[in-house]
Amino acid sequence: GLMLPPKVAPTQVVLVTIPPKKKDGEEAVRAMNDAVSKLVNQLEDEGIRVHVDDRDYVRMGAKYFEWERKGVPLRIELGPRDLKNNVCV
């Protein structure tokens, strides 16, 4: 698909969240929200234009395709296992 250079892309990074399972409880949701806001703040402090895609009613593949189609240069995925292991993909 379209790949815009970061300097001209309206959105330079899209942060796609993988929602925690319901059995993980509210604590997992809070931890995810905290991690997302911290990462977004760090990226914005560096002058990077970020969009968070936290829609839970859209399948992951559809989210990936949508952002590839729009030409976003970088996609970061963040989920419960990533938080547990202190990494992101």
Side-chain angles (χ1 to χ4, degrees):
L2 176 68
M3 179 65 102
L4 293 172
K7 285 187 178 185
V8 298
T11 301
Q12 295 172 315
V13 175
V14 64
L15 179 59
V16 179
T17 61
I18 302 168
K21 298 196 181 337
K22 292 182 181 179
K23 68 178 182 175
D24 294 336
E26 287 297 314
E27 183 177 319
V29 174
R30 271 193 303 272
M32 174 68 77
N33 291 338
D34 291 344
V36 167
S37 64
K38 180 179 176 184
L39 183 56
V40 168
N41 288 336
Q42 289 174 342
L43 292 170
E44 287 177 342
D45 287 347
E46 294 296 324
I48 298 172
R49 295 181 297 278
V50 183
H51 178 81
V52 177
D53 190 346
D54 56 358
R55 299 174 292 171
D56 58 356
Y57 56 88
V58 178
R59 291 178 166 237
M60 299 306 291
K63 288 183 187 182
Y64 300 157
F65 177 72
E66 177 181 345
W67 295 109
E68 285 179 21
R69 189 173 48 88
K70 290 182 178 181
V72 176
L74 182 63
R75 179 182 74 219
I76 299 175
E77 301 169 27
L78 188 62
R81 276 191 256 163
D82 301 320
L83 289 179
K84 182 179 174 185
N85 297 327
N86 202 27
V87 296
C88 63
V89 178

